[in-house]
């Protein structure tokens, strides 16, 4: 029982460490968009491109390829866009299924 809990904690810690570059990239991207005084579609486009570029650079640093790179990049982009998407959903006063649908689409990076 203790071994299972320890394994889950280690897996959680590993996931958090892997996600950190995404959160750092997102904060930097949002700051850069604010400095450039971007809003609307220009802000959205800039932040998404910035997060995607950051995740791709991180996957190269980690020397990932193939399915591992695709999986990492997809999760990294979703994690990186989460704070931005949350802010957008809050601004639109979304909740429940509407918020879930919006978040899924927003975090897909499309």
């Amino acid at each position: 029982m203790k071994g299972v809990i320890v394994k889950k904690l280690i897996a959680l810690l590993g996931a958090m460490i892997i996600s950190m570059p995404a959160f750092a990239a997102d904060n930097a991207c949002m700051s850069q968009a604010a400095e450039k005084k971007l809003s609307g579609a220009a802000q959205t486009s800039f932040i998404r491109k910035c997060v995607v570029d950051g995740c791709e650079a991180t996957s190269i640093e980690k020397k990932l390829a193939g399915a591992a790179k695709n999986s990492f990049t997809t999760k990294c982009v979703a994690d990186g866009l989460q704070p931005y998407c949350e802010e957008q959903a809050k601004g639109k006063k979304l909740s429940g299924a509407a918020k879930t649908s919006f978040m899924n689409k927003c975090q897909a990076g499309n």
Side-chain angles (χ1 to χ4, degrees):
M1 184 75 166
K2 266 188 172 181
V4 173
I5 293 171
V6 170
K7 287 180 184 178
K8 286 183 181 181
L9 286 173
I10 290 171
L12 179 62
L13 181 61
M16 287 174 57
I17 290 170
I18 288 173
S19 298
M20 280 184 188
F23 294 125
D26 182 64
N27 290 333
C29 295
M30 289 177 70
S31 296
Q32 289 174 15
E35 287 173 16
K36 294 177 185 247
K37 297 182 172 131
L38 298 175
S39 62
Q43 178 188 39
T44 301
S45 177
F46 176 84
I47 290 174
R48 285 186 177 154
K49 182 176 181 339
C50 181
V51 169
V52 168
D53 289 349
C55 291
E56 288 178 359
T58 302
S59 71
I60 291 169
E61 287 174 17
K62 294 179 178 282
K63 298 179 182 174
L64 298 175
K69 179 180 179 182
N70 292 339
S71 177
F72 171 81
T73 303
T74 300
K75 179 165 180 7
C76 179
V77 169
D79 290 346
L81 289 174
Q82 183 176 5
Y84 175 74
C85 295
E86 286 282 349
E87 184 179 299
Q88 296 299 308
K90 185 177 179 182
K92 295 176 186 240
K93 298 180 179 167
L94 298 175
S95 63
K99 180 179 178 183
T100 301
S101 176
F102 173 82
M103 291 295 293
N104 288 338
K105 184 177 178 186
C106 182
Q107 286 181 281
N110 299 327

